[in-house]
Amino acid sequence: MKFICLTLMFVSGITDSRSEQYEVVGPADPVLAVAGEDVILPCSVKPSFSVVDMRVEWSRPDQKDSLVHLYVDHEDRNTEQIQSYRERTKLNHQELQRGNASLKLSSVRVSDEGRYKCFIESKSWYDDATVNVKVEAVGGPPVITVDGFDHSGGLHLQCESEGWNPEPDLEWLDSEGVSLSSGTTETHRNTDGFSLKNTIIVYHSGKIHCRVKLRHHMLETLIDTSNNMFISWRTSVILSSVAAVLSVIAGILIAVFAHKNRERDQLLQSLKMVKKQALTHLRIYRVNVILDADSAHPRLIVSDDGKQVRDGNRLKEEDGKDRFDHYLGVLGQGGFSSGSFYFEVQVKDQTMWDLGVARESVDRKGVFRLRPDDGYWIVSLFNGKYRARDSPDVSLSLRVNPQRVGVFVDYEKSLVSFYDVESMSHIYSFTGQSFNEKLYPFVCLGYEFNENSTPLIICD
């Protein structure tokens, strides 16, 4: 009997001592993540042993609703998970056998930055480790606006950019790359990151650059105040003052109006240049769109590379629950549920088309409307008229017929915008929308049939 008791005490002592030797460990340094990409938050048991039968809980201790991911009783249970993490977290169940409880976090957001706790618990033991996550986000291209001249003849330029994390540096430079002194940069932070605004007063003509830098990232926009624009503005200020005093002198009034017309034309040219550069910067969000042939209407022929679609002028035999059956539509492969993305579609020589983005759960069968209420954000050409398929439809008066249309989506800002790529002009924007599921690129060749065999082409 004494031998049995001693044996039990010995085994118990081993178990207790083993429990004391195990610990949950995380990384010593912060984990660096990039907004829009995936990241692994390391957490494991040392020495390694299986945690398959244990409770693994990831949480945000600095938030009121803290649960990020929960694994218990051999399954994930995320009914109480923070809403913003839904369908973005994953544990590798096979790795749990090796004591690895690292968490995969998809489509990282700026709001994901902060402290995470990895907690592991068995019936006789528990421990936790802290993982500090830093998120790096490259914001939108800086936008320069002209605020006019002050009484001393100085030209006021304002530069704005948003969506950065951590806080970047903003600076003005002249045409030689020399830094210009400016006022204090106004900085604001929200869930999307930092936004910046800075104003400078310049007293000379030439190219003025606004540059935003974050570590190894840099975006830059310039405005050209040459071509007598600056001189004309200053002359206008002087002449306007003289005209106010000597308004009876008709010659001065005529000169003022002449200057104003030239100033306005030159200013518009500069602003057009800024707009072109801003649209060019949208292409940093370009994604590789491949059309999903399995979703295409049976009349459509999708190229082998998934980049072109046209009406084959005959109804193929195959059909399926995922295919459109009235609209000659096709979706892109893969969807987007966060961040920003941009793609371009060539519509040249096609006389009937719809394009934009569609919600994952949209109707594909029967008769429905291509409108936001039904999960479609679309611009179209029909019977020679352009329109935005809003609620109600909006007629679009375009100066030229678009040959290539760019589609830009900012998921967090609930924005869908369309651009004429060739003329670098804005076509239409859907704002203040409600996005609550994945969005897919969508192109369509009309309703029921399209006698024009010209394909719509996804541009690389």
Side-chain angles (χ1 to χ4, degrees), residues 189-210:
R189 184 176 187 182
N190 54 31
T191 56
D192 296 324
F194 287 91
S195 61
L196 303 94
K197 181 189 299 184
N198 187 283
T199 300
I200 191 173
I201 304 175
V202 295
Y203 295 90
H204 62 278
S205 62
K207 294 180 179 180
I208 306 296
H209 302 252
C210 177

Side-chain angles (χ1 to χ4, degrees), residues 165 183 338:
N165 198 67
S338 65

Side-chain angles (χ1 to χ4, degrees), residues 41 44 63 89 257 274 296 319 324 337 349 371 396 422 446:
L41 309 187
S44 59
Q63 295 190 9
T89 60
F257 284 116
V274 173
D319 194 5
F324 292 89
S337 58
D349 297 329
R371 292 181 178 176
L396 302 174
E422 300 296 331

Side-chain angles (χ1 to χ4, degrees), residues 160-208:
E160 295 181 86
S161 186
E162 59 184 18
W164 295 83
N165 198 67
E167 182 178 352
D169 295 319
L170 185 151
E171 62 178 339
W172 294 91
L173 304 100
D174 62 16
S175 57
E176 303 299 324
V178 177
S179 181
L180 302 173
S181 60
S182 61
T184 303
T185 299
E186 297 180 29
T187 304
H188 301 281
R189 184 176 187 182
N190 54 31
T191 56
D192 296 324
F194 287 91
S195 61
L196 303 94
K197 181 189 299 184
N198 187 283
T199 300
I200 191 173
I201 304 175
V202 295
Y203 295 90
H204 62 278
S205 62
K207 294 180 179 180
I208 306 296

Side-chain angles (χ1 to χ4, degrees), residues 142-417:
V143 176
I144 299 176
T145 55
V146 180
D147 283 349
F149 279 72
D150 59 19
H151 294 295
S152 65
L155 176 64
H156 288 238
L157 300 177
Q158 180 175 278
C159 180
E160 295 181 86
S161 186
E162 59 184 18
W164 295 83
N165 198 67
E167 182 178 352
D169 295 319
L170 185 151
E171 62 178 339
W172 294 91
L173 304 100
D174 62 16
S175 57
E176 303 299 324
V178 177
S179 181
L180 302 173
S181 60
S182 61
T184 303
T185 299
E186 297 180 29
T187 304
H188 301 281
R189 184 176 187 182
N190 54 31
T191 56
D192 296 324
F194 287 91
S195 61
L196 303 94
K197 181 189 299 184
N198 187 283
T199 300
I200 191 173
I201 304 175
V202 295
Y203 295 90
H204 62 278
S205 62
K207 294 180 179 180
I208 306 296
H209 302 252
C210 177
R211 176 182 295 172
V212 182
K213 295 189 299 182
L214 175 63
R215 294 174 184 157
H216 55 281
H217 301 289
M218 182 185 75
L219 293 180
E220 183 175 288
T221 300
L222 68 84
I223 186 169
D224 194 345
T225 61
S226 58
N227 299 324
N228 297 323
M229 172 188 173
F230 190 88
I231 297 174
S232 297
W233 268 105
R234 295 192 65 182
T235 304
S236 171
V237 174
I238 296 171
L239 291 180
S240 295
S241 300
V242 174
V245 178
L246 304 174
S247 58
V248 294
I249 304 176
I252 294 180
L253 287 175
I254 293 173
V256 170
F257 284 116
H259 277 296
K260 284 186 176 180
N261 288 332
R262 286 199 299 272
E263 297 156 9
R264 182 176 57 204
D265 292 341
Q266 292 164 351
L267 179 58
L268 287 174
Q269 290 299 319
S270 294
L271 294 179
K272 286 179 180 178
M273 177 190 66
V274 173
K275 184 168 65 175
K276 288 182 180 180
Q277 292 173 336
L279 179 56
T280 300
H281 280 303
L282 288 180
R283 288 179 171 170
I284 66 175
Y285 300 105
R286 183 191 290 266
V287 293
N288 182 28
V289 173
I290 304 296
L291 298 176
D292 182 7
D294 291 335
S295 70
H297 187 284
R299 285 180 62 95
L300 296 181
I301 296 177
V302 178
S303 62
D304 292 339
D305 63 358
K307 293 293 185 179
Q308 300 187 28
V309 59
R310 63 182 177 87
D311 187 347
N313 290 322
R314 63 185 181 86
L315 191 64
K316 293 178 290 186
E317 294 297 330
E318 71 266 20
D319 194 5
K321 65 181 181 65
D322 294 328
R323 291 186 182 277
F324 292 89
D325 67 351
H326 281 68
Y327 282 100
L328 304 182
V330 57
L331 296 173
Q333 297 179 5
F336 303 87
S337 58
S338 65
S340 300
F341 63 95
Y342 174 83
F343 64 95
E344 295 177 359
V345 182
Q346 179 177 307
V347 297
K348 181 179 180 182
D349 297 329
Q350 179 51 253
T351 54
M352 185 163 53
W353 49 261
D354 306 90
L355 62 90
V357 293
R359 202 165 50 213
E360 184 174 25
S361 62
V362 292
D363 291 331
R364 304 184 191 183
K365 305 295 186 182
V367 180
F368 50 85
R369 301 178 303 170
L370 298 178
R371 292 181 178 176
D373 292 344
D374 295 304
Y376 290 90
W377 291 267
I378 302 297
V379 295
S380 66
L381 170 63
F382 181 73
N383 286 340
K385 296 182 179 180
Y386 296 94
R387 56 181 173 165
R389 305 296 289 272
D390 212 329
S391 301
D393 285 357
V394 177
S395 296
L396 302 174
S397 299
L398 306 183
R399 292 185 297 103
V400 296
N401 296 330
Q403 307 296 300
R404 178 185 292 195
V405 177
V407 183
F408 174 73
V409 178
D410 189 319
Y411 195 96
E412 277 72 27
K413 294 183 180 177
S414 303
L415 170 71
V416 182
S417 294

Side-chain angles (χ1 to χ4, degrees), residues 38-225:
D38 300 345
V39 68
I40 300 295
L41 309 187
C43 177
S44 59
V45 177
K46 299 295 182 183
S48 63
F49 70 96
S50 175
V51 295
V52 170
D53 299 325
M54 298 185 184
R55 176 189 181 95
V56 177
E57 179 179 322
W58 281 87
S59 62
R60 294 286 302 271
D62 55 344
Q63 295 190 9
K64 181 179 179 181
D65 298 322
S66 62
L67 183 62
V68 174
H69 193 98
L70 177 62
Y71 169 89
V72 64
D73 294 335
H74 304 102
E75 63 181 9
D76 298 312
R77 296 185 180 181
N78 290 318
T79 56
E80 302 298 325
Q81 186 182 41
I82 300 174
Q83 183 66 34
S84 62
Y85 289 94
R86 294 289 169 88
E87 299 183 359
R88 295 201 299 128
T89 60
K90 184 178 181 181
L91 287 175
N92 189 326
H93 290 191
Q94 291 183 341
E95 286 296 314
L96 293 177
Q97 298 176 5
R98 291 183 278 273
N100 183 359
S102 298
L103 183 72
K104 179 181 180 181
L105 180 58
S106 303
S107 303
V108 171
R109 307 171 183 175
V110 173
S111 59
D112 294 334
E113 185 171 271
R115 292 190 303 114
Y116 292 73
K117 184 170 75 170
C118 173
F119 176 79
I120 301 178
E121 179 184 33
S122 69
K123 294 181 179 179
S124 60
W125 170 86
Y126 65 88
D127 195 16
D128 63 70
T130 299
V131 179
N132 193 17
V133 176
K134 298 290 185 182
V135 177
E136 181 177 280
V138 179
V143 176
I144 299 176
T145 55
V146 180
D147 283 349
F149 279 72
D150 59 19
H151 294 295
S152 65
L155 176 64
H156 288 238
L157 300 177
Q158 180 175 278
C159 180
E160 295 181 86
S161 186
E162 59 184 18
W164 295 83
N165 198 67
E167 182 178 352
D169 295 319
L170 185 151
E171 62 178 339
W172 294 91
L173 304 100
D174 62 16
S175 57
E176 303 299 324
V178 177
S179 181
L180 302 173
S181 60
S182 61
T184 303
T185 299
E186 297 180 29
T187 304
H188 301 281
R189 184 176 187 182
N190 54 31
T191 56
D192 296 324
F194 287 91
S195 61
L196 303 94
K197 181 189 299 184
N198 187 283
T199 300
I200 191 173
I201 304 175
V202 295
Y203 295 90
H204 62 278
S205 62
K207 294 180 179 180
I208 306 296
H209 302 252
C210 177
R211 176 182 295 172
V212 182
K213 295 189 299 182
L214 175 63
R215 294 174 184 157
H216 55 281
H217 301 289
M218 182 185 75
L219 293 180
E220 183 175 288
T221 300
L222 68 84
I223 186 169
D224 194 345
T225 61

